[in-house]
RNA sequence: GGGCACAUAGCUCAGUUGGUUAGAGCGCUACGCUCACAUCGUAGAGGUCGCCCGUUCGAAUCGGGCUGUGCCCACCA
């Protein structure tokens, strides 16, 4: 077989993936005699395209799922997508506007039709990209958060919560874009700093029977136009400047309304004058104050942020024009004090950039405190664990201070609220009724008539639910809860959840609450939180910053395995990942190393006409074999351990170290001198073990080489490495002494290389070495002569009982080098440095040994250790000094 | 303002219950195309473990303080 010098992932990855699909290896079913392992994917938005964050998140999941599958679990990775309300609606709205249309022009029904068309056409783009990454999801089970059955679950949950009194309707300040005329979530209204001004305005004080003498008070505001909606002033109770004002009345300029003056901790005495205007209908904080103190709400704006009739003569004006005019009027009336520049950070519409207007409107809320309680308990009691554990505190801190959740959205794409209004009943209500239930029917299906008055004049709420209101049900809704399906029974609660820290609150915390509330179970046992993907400078990768590295491009260039390996190597648990194009070379180089090592083994087997029928190796292990098996065992043990505690990067480093620096650097090199059936078996045996270990991280190349081994040997191997068993430690009888002997030999090779470099002798210059070995080492060195000579580039290796001089010495070996010429100066410099280093070290040890407290207090073994070290190093120092004497 | 972290080689990070001359990978330097691999090999340089105090025979490791950085939440009238 002719194998390329370079590994070419592009040629093999797609075929391998198709092979896995064809064999149905990703499918998982409830299997009574197996333990279950299940991860539900954080459903990507249907509008999403694969970015590095996805690549990181999903690689971690795939690693775990593949690892557990090989360990014999019924391992299910449950895939799906999220309908992503606003994001998707925006995409379709944009294409509409390209045709010069707004969604209102075509109507709700028609617009939804377009949305579904878009979803069917593009909604699975990201799924296809995940396949390129190698994701072993059980695709047949894929769910979508707008599936018909899923919608049923959402409605069911809404109704249950409503009936329990945990969902209510109320007026609240929300982010409002006056241009788009829609409400926005906080995430959709990112804060931006703008240059504003702080205006100081005089409010006249109403003369009253008390001893108030001042004419006016000064209030600072950045938004003077909203003053028309003021219904109170407030100051901090600790602020003595205004103490006397309590219960005083102030007159609102222009309007002439009488304002109460209240005290509240929420007011910052250091801001402005310490006296703040309270505008309940136009500011979130003022809104809460108004609720607390029972203040009046005066709305002065229309949907498009022009002022309404409450603004008297300013009615009809745009908010910015009104600001100017109001300021002018105040100046005219002598009520304007001063203004100064002031940085304001305020929400801006993420679509059009318009400054957000906080707007009072009726919304639906979930009462969170009762839901949070059990969700706090399970985390406090470690029934759900976070990795890294520090997130536990963050989670708890947030949960202790949880706020009610606004779940209604004024958009069209999403789960419509299962809420119906009886028009007749509602006509009897006043508009300001905040939490009345009258005239409201909450029902999964449209009721035929009002249960109260029998009217058939019912209308469904126009709003849809926040996307997270469907996502928070994900871990059990995907298994068709509330039906008791076998899958729900077997795979739920799931094993772990892998996610970025950004959505800990939006999603993870809410899933825990929903699961406990509806299924009375935790949704998952472990929460694995990985970091954010950043560029080299530490900026978050984002399209707008233009610093993204496209994972698909990396796959195209280096292959999915290289991408996966690099990410796993770089991402230490929970830490942010700093990426640049070069970072992916680690993976590419390692792929190539695996490829070439395998290529060597397989071609040599072919060249030597070796036929491998089994991998029985135990009976005739030589010392080098044992040494390799020993390290293999260590690797198996550590990799298994680290993957089990989600320290993937530690596992990856161990595999890298073993394969490159044990297997390739030494074992393969040594095997070249004596490439027989036994060595071939050893090589293939260890290679297969390694491939299995690396398979979760590098599924494609491991499968590819596994298949090559199958085709080039007569081994009876599994059809795919995917379904092979996870490696176990090999039974091995090995004395510590044997390990030491091998290490001594390696040490000798290294020392010779070292000396050559120190003496300025080219490595290729073949020298003669005379060596004196310990009794226990004799046999080994004589059989190992060939490889020692080759790896140290020697002409001859002579075993002697006495040496003329000793250049190196350890427990087992001492040797001398025949030298003709060398770079004396270079050598002396090196030697002197080594000598002074050693002397320093010896000094610190002798200091320790002379310390009576140390001898007295430290454990005996530690003292002994130091003494031994001292002797060793002294000997070493002597030898170096001796070297100096003879060479200088 | 509240909370949570982090601070070790130029960069990214390891460093297990306190006992090393503080490690790895990348990068860098020198030499080398040694018959799997130059996407390679060999060797090397590079750190007073942010600062200060304390506990201890002994601190990168434990405690306190300081400085700096990052993240989350709230607020910005």
């Amino acid at each position: 077989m002719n194998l390329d010098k370079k590994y070419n992932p592009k040629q093999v990855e797609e075929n391998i993936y198709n092979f896995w699909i064809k064999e149905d290896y990703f499918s998982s079913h409830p299997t009574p005699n197996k333990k279950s392992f299940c991860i539900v994917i954080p459903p990507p938005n249907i509008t999403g395209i694969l970015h590095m964050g996805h690549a990181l998140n999903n690689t971690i999941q795939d690693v775990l799922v593949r690892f557990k599958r090989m360990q014999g679990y019924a391992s299910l990775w449950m895939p799906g997508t999220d309908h992503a309300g606003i994001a998707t609606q925006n995409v379709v709205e944009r294409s509409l506007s390209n045709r010069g249309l707004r969604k209102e022009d075509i109507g709700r029904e028609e617009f939804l039709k377009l949305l579904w068309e878009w979803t069917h056409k593009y909604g699975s783009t990201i799924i296809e990209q995940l396949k390129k990454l190698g994701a072993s999801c059980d695709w047949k089970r894929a769910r979508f958060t707008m599936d018909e059955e899923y919608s049923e679950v959402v409605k069911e949950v809404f109704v249950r919560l409503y009936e329990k009194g945990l969902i209510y309707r109320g007026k609240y300040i929300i982010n409002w874009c006056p241009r788009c005329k829609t409400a926005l979530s906080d995430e959709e209204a990112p804060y931006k700093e703008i240059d504003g001004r702080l205006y100081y305005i005089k409010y006249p004080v109403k003369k009253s029977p008390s001893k108030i003498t001042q004419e006016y008070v000064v209030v600072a505001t950045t938004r003077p136009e909203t003053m028309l909606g003021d219904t109170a002033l407030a100051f901090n109770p600790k602020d003595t400047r205004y103490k006397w004002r309590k219960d005083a009345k102030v007159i609102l300029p222009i309007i002439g309304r009488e304002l109460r003056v209240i005290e509240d901790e929420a007011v910052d005495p250091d801001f402005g004058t310490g006296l703040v205007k309270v505008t309940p209908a136009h500011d979130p904080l003022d809104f809460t104050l108004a609720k607390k103190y029972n203040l009046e709400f005066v709305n002065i704006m229309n949907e498009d942020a022009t002022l309404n009739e409450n603004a008297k003569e300013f009615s009809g004006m745009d908010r910015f024009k009104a600001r100017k005019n109001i300021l002018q009027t105040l100046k005219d009336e002598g009520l304007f004090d001063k203004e100064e520049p002031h940085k304001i950070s305020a929400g801006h519409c993420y679509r059009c950039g318009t400054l957000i207007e906080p707007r009072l409107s009726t919304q639906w809320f979930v009462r969170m405190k009762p839901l949070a309680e059990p969700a706090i308990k399970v985390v406090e009691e470690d029934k759900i664990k976070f990795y890294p554990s520090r997130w536990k505190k963050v989670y708890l801190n947030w949960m202790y201070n949880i706020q009610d959740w606004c779940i209604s959205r004024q958009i069209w794409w999403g789960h419509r609220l299962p809420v119906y209004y009886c028009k007749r009943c509602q006509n009897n209500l006043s508009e300001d009724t905040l939490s009345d239930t009258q005239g409201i029917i909450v029902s999964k299906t449209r009721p035929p008539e009002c249960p109260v008055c029998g009217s058939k004049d019912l209308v469904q709420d126009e709003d849809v639910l926040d996307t997270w209101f469907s996502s928070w049900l994900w871990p059990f809704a995907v298994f068709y809860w509330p039906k008791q399906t076998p899958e729900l029974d077997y795979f739920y609660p799931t094993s772990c959840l892998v996610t970025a820290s950004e959505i800990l609150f939006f999603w993870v915390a809410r899933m825990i609450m929903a699961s406990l509330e509806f299924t009375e179970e935790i949704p998952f046992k472990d929460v694995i939180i990985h970091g954010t993907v950043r560029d080299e400078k530490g900026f978050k990768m984002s399209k707008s910053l233009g610093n993204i590295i496209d994972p698909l491009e990396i796959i195209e260039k280096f292959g999915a395995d290289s991408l996966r390996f690099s990410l796993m190597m770089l991402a230490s648990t929970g830490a942010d990942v700093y990426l640049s194009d070069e970072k992916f070379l680690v993976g590419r180089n390692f792929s190539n190393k695996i490829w070439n090592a395998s290529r060597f083994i397989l071609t040599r087997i072919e060249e030597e006409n070796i036929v491998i029928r089994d991998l029985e190796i135990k009976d005739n292990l030589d010392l080098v074999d044992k040494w390799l098996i020993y390290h293999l065992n260590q690797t198996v043990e550590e990799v298994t351990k680290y993957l089990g505690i989600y320290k993937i990067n530690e596992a990856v480093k161990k595999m890298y170290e073993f394969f490159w620096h044990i297997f390739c650097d030494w074992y393969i090199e040594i095997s070249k001198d004596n490439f027989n059936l036994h060595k071939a078996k050893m090589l293939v045996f260890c290679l297969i073990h390694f491939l299995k270990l690396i398979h979760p991280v590098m599924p494609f190349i491991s499968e590819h080489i596994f298949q090559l081994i199958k085709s080039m040997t007569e081994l009876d191997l599994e059809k795919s490495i995917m379904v092979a068993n996870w490696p176990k430690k090999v039974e091995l009888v090995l004395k510590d002494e044997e390990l030491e002997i091998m290490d001594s030999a390696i040490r000798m090779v290294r020392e010779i290389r070292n000396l050559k470099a120190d003496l300025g002798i080219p490595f290729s210059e073949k020298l003669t070495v005379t060596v004196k070995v310990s009794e226990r080492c004799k046999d080994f060195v004589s059989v190992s002569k060939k490889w020692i000579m080759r790896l140290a580039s020697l002409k001859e290796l002579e075993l002697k009982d006495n040496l003329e001089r000793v250049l190196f010495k350890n427990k087992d070996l001492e040797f001398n080098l025949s030298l003709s010429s060398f770079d004396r100066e270079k050598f002396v410099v090196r030697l002197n440095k080594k000598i002074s280093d050693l002397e320093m070290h010896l000094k610190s040890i002798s200091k320790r040994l002379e310390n009576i407290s140390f001898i007295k207090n430290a454990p005996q073994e530690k003292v002994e250790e130091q003494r031994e070290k001292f002797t060793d190093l002294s000997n070493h120092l002597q030898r170096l000094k001796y070297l100096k004497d003879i060479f200088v």
Side-chain angles (χ1 to χ4, degrees), chain A residues 103-241:
Chain A
K103 65 180 192 296
E104 288 78 11
D105 297 332
I106 60 170
R108 186 167 190 145
E109 207 172 312
E110 202 56 30
F111 185 63
L112 284 177
K113 228 164 94 186
L114 286 180
L115 271 157
W116 276 109
E117 272 171 29
W118 189 93
T119 300
H120 292 134
K121 207 164 159 191
Y122 302 110
S124 54
T125 304
I126 193 156
I127 297 294
E128 294 311 309
Q129 294 173 330
L130 282 174
K131 290 178 180 172
K132 285 214 161 70
L133 187 69
S136 64
C137 296
D138 189 349
W139 298 114
K140 291 178 191 161
R141 296 185 185 274
R143 300 297 308 276
F144 176 49
T145 54
M146 288 268 281
D147 281 350
E148 219 178 307
E149 295 98 327
Y150 205 103
S151 291
E152 287 305 304
V153 180
V154 171
K155 284 186 223 165
E156 172 79 29
V157 160
F158 189 97
V159 172
R160 284 196 193 190
L161 287 177
Y162 182 78
E163 282 169 358
K164 233 181 146 176
L166 292 177
I167 281 186
Y168 63 92
R169 185 177 181 242
K171 276 197 167 181
Y172 196 73
I173 300 265
I174 44 103
N175 299 306
W176 182 265
C177 175
R179 197 204 69 93
C180 309
K181 290 183 197 151
T182 178
L184 296 170
S185 65
D186 290 344
E187 302 77 64
E188 292 153 352
Y191 273 47
K192 265 193 266 177
E193 198 160 83
I194 53 173
D195 286 316
R197 303 191 79 74
L198 190 60
Y199 304 94
Y200 290 78
I201 298 164
K202 298 175 187 170
Y203 282 36
V205 175
K206 189 183 179 185
K207 302 283 183 216
S208 71
S210 60
K211 296 157 254 156
I212 298 168
T213 53
Q214 259 176 268
E215 297 276 310
Y216 55 82
V217 288
V218 178
V219 167
T221 177
T222 56
R223 304 196 52 204
E225 67 278 14
T226 64
M227 68 183 285
L228 306 181
D230 287 359
T231 54
L233 296 183
F235 64 94
N236 191 298
K238 292 196 188 108
D239 193 343
T240 49
R241 288 175 293 175

Side-chain angles (χ1 to χ4, degrees), chain A residues 658-695:
Chain A
F658 168 76
F659 190 77
W660 204 306
H661 298 302
I662 301 284
F663 189 65
C664 291
D665 284 358
W666 294 99
Y667 195 85
I668 288 185
E669 288 306 325
I670 292 169
S671 76
K672 285 176 180 172
D673 290 310
N674 189 22
F675 202 99
N676 54 26
L677 176 62
H678 170 72
K679 284 290 162 191
K681 280 187 183 180
M682 272 294 294
L683 286 164
V684 170
F685 178 84
C686 290
L687 179 60
I688 290 176
H689 260 64
F690 168 76
L691 291 174
K692 287 178 182 173
L693 290 177
I694 202 76
H695 176 261

Side-chain angles (χ1 to χ4, degrees), chain A residues 45-48 82-99 101-104 106 111-112 114-116 118-119 122 177 179-185 187-190 348-353 356 409-414 464 467 543:
Chain A
N45 291 354
I46 46 173
T47 56
D82 193 294
H83 67 278
I86 296 189
T88 312
Q89 174 159 325
N90 281 346
V91 171
V92 176
E93 264 192 274
R94 221 173 292 138
S95 73
L96 250 190
S97 82
N98 288 342
R99 287 156 47 198
L101 291 170
R102 293 175 313 135
K103 65 180 192 296
E104 288 78 11
I106 60 170
F111 185 63
L112 284 177
L114 286 180
L115 271 157
W116 276 109
W118 189 93
T119 300
Y122 302 110
C177 175
R179 197 204 69 93
C180 309
K181 290 183 197 151
T182 178
L184 296 170
S185 65
E187 302 77 64
E188 292 153 352
H348 288 72
C349 176
Y350 83 124
R351 293 175 55 204
C352 65
I356 290 300
R409 294 286 180 274
Q410 291 70 49
I411 55 171
W412 289 350
W413 179 238
V464 300
T467 302
K543 237 191 256 170

Side-chain angles (χ1 to χ4, degrees), chain A residues 494-727:
Chain A
T494 67
S495 310
C496 57
L497 183 89
V498 182
T499 187
S501 55
E502 284 94 336
I503 53 172
L504 188 61
F505 305 128
F506 294 131
W507 192 46
V508 179
R510 286 173 184 159
M511 278 192 287
I512 295 174
M513 290 187 271
S515 296
L516 291 169
E517 170 68 19
F518 302 113
T519 69
E520 289 172 17
E521 303 240 41
I522 53 171
F524 29 72
K525 295 179 199 81
D526 294 332
V527 180
I528 296 145
I529 296 172
H530 60 252
T532 306
V533 177
R534 299 172 180 280
D535 69 12
E536 256 181 325
K537 291 169 197 147
F539 293 109
K540 250 186 213 184
M541 276 194 192
S542 74
K543 237 191 256 170
S544 55
L545 281 177
N547 61 350
I548 48 168
I549 298 176
D550 182 357
L552 295 170
E553 253 172 51
I554 301 292
I555 291 174
E556 181 71 18
K557 247 161 72 185
F558 303 141
D561 286 334
S562 300
L563 171 73
R564 294 168 60 118
F565 182 86
S566 303
L567 285 174
M568 293 302 95
M569 181 101 162
L570 290 167
S572 54
T573 323
D576 287 354
V577 190
Y578 296 80
L579 290 178
S580 61
D581 284 325
E582 305 88 71
K583 293 279 174 81
F584 295 99
L585 294 178
V586 192
R588 197 248 340 229
N589 294 353
F590 193 50
S591 301
N592 202 54
K593 189 73 180 179
I594 297 172
W595 173 250
N596 270 297
S598 308
R599 185 166 74 98
F600 167 77
I601 295 168
L602 292 173
T603 35
R604 273 303 279 275
I605 289 172
E606 201 178 36
E607 280 166 15
E608 310 277 335
N609 292 317
I610 292 171
V611 181
I612 298 180
R613 296 195 175 80
D614 61 71
L615 292 174
E616 289 303 321
I617 46 166
K618 279 175 202 157
D619 294 336
N620 42 358
L621 294 178
D622 65 26
L623 208 144
V624 183
D625 298 337
K626 286 186 179 178
W627 174 84
L628 177 66
I629 299 278
Y630 167 80
H631 284 286
L632 177 68
N633 279 346
Q634 293 290 106
T635 308
V636 168
E637 190 179 318
E638 287 180 321
V639 168
T640 309
K641 178 183 87 187
Y642 283 129
L643 289 181
I645 54 174
Y646 312 119
K647 290 195 172 186
I648 300 175
N649 76 318
E650 294 294 325
V652 164
K653 281 181 189 165
K654 292 290 171 200
M655 292 189 271
Y656 183 89
E657 167 69 21
F658 168 76
F659 190 77
W660 204 306
H661 298 302
I662 301 284
F663 189 65
C664 291
D665 284 358
W666 294 99
Y667 195 85
I668 288 185
E669 288 306 325
I670 292 169
S671 76
K672 285 176 180 172
D673 290 310
N674 189 22
F675 202 99
N676 54 26
L677 176 62
H678 170 72
K679 284 290 162 191
K681 280 187 183 180
M682 272 294 294
L683 286 164
V684 170
F685 178 84
C686 290
L687 179 60
I688 290 176
H689 260 64
F690 168 76
L691 291 174
K692 287 178 182 173
L693 290 177
I694 202 76
H695 176 261
V697 180
M698 306 179 95
F700 292 108
I701 193 173
S702 54
E703 179 76 287
H704 182 53
I705 295 170
F706 189 78
Q707 297 300 336
L708 283 177
I709 294 173
K710 271 172 76 95
S711 69
M712 295 177 78
T713 63
E714 291 181 15
L715 290 169
D716 182 24
L717 296 170
E718 294 86 350
K719 193 161 186 183
S720 159
I721 194 168
M722 249 200 82
V723 292
N725 290 327
W726 187 252

Side-chain angles (χ1 to χ4, degrees), chain A residues 751-769 792-795 805 807 815-827 830 887:
Chain A
E751 281 301 329
I752 295 169
R753 290 169 176 168
N754 215 310
L755 265 169
K756 277 187 174 180
D758 284 355
L759 293 167
I761 300 167
F763 176 70
S764 52
E765 192 176 317
K766 296 197 189 281
L767 304 176
T768 297
V769 167
S793 185
L794 301 178
K795 185 161 58 188
R805 64 182 180 210
L807 299 191
F815 67 76
N816 184 21
L817 225 51
S818 68
L819 296 166
S820 43
S821 64
F822 60 91
D823 188 336
R824 184 162 272 121
E825 221 168 294
K826 198 171 166 186
F827 182 61
R830 290 282 174 79
F887 284 106

Side-chain angles (χ1 to χ4, degrees), chain A residues 243-265:
Chain A
K243 213 67 188 168
W244 57 271
R245 288 277 169 213
K246 205 184 167 195
D247 302 325
K249 292 279 193 311
V250 171
I251 302 298
L252 178 62
I254 298 171
I255 303 289
R257 186 164 40 239
E258 204 171 87
L259 305 178
R260 276 172 62 190
V261 181
I262 57 173
E263 296 179 62
D264 196 275
E265 305 278 350

Side-chain angles (χ1 to χ4, degrees), chain A residues 746-883:
Chain A
I746 288 176
R747 182 74 199 282
M748 181 162 93
V749 172
R750 288 215 158 116
E751 281 301 329
I752 295 169
R753 290 169 176 168
N754 215 310
L755 265 169
K756 277 187 174 180
D758 284 355
L759 293 167
I761 300 167
F763 176 70
S764 52
E765 192 176 317
K766 296 197 189 281
L767 304 176
T768 297
V769 167
T770 47
V771 59
K772 182 182 159 190
V773 298
S774 68
E775 206 51 43
R776 66 175 190 175
C777 236
K778 258 185 183 153
D779 291 345
F780 180 64
V781 171
S782 48
V783 297
S784 303
K785 214 167 147 178
K786 231 170 150 183
W787 67 258
I788 292 173
M789 279 172 59
R790 195 164 42 77
L791 297 186
S793 185
L794 301 178
K795 185 161 58 188
E796 191 51 66
L797 181 70
E798 294 171 2
L799 273 77
K800 292 213 170 152
D801 291 331
N802 284 301
L803 302 179
E804 285 173 41
R805 64 182 180 210
V806 179
L807 299 191
F808 170 81
K809 183 179 168 148
N810 70 13
K811 213 167 170 185
D812 292 303
L813 301 156
E814 40 195 286
F815 67 76
N816 184 21
L817 225 51
S818 68
L819 296 166
S820 43
S821 64
F822 60 91
D823 188 336
R824 184 162 272 121
E825 221 168 294
K826 198 171 166 186
F827 182 61
V828 172
V829 172
R830 290 282 174 79
L831 205 55
N832 281 336
K833 186 178 186 309
K834 280 186 184 168
I835 288 173
S836 71
D837 283 356
L838 256 182
E839 281 170 339
M840 289 258 290
H841 190 196
L842 273 168
K843 214 165 144 189
S844 82
I845 295 180
S846 61
K847 211 170 142 192
R848 195 169 304 159
L849 287 171
E850 282 158 20
N851 184 343
I852 298 168
S853 314
F854 173 70
I855 307 288
K856 217 165 64 187
N857 295 322
Q860 199 51 47
E861 65 204 70
K862 296 288 174 194
V863 177
E864 209 43 53
E865 212 177 274
Q866 293 294 316
R867 284 199 174 119
E868 268 172 40
K869 203 182 241 174
F870 187 82
T871 320
D872 281 357
L873 292 177
S874 306
N875 289 340
H876 193 185
L877 180 65
Q878 263 184 359
R879 213 153 34 244
L880 289 183
K881 284 183 168 165
Y882 164 74
L883 269 185

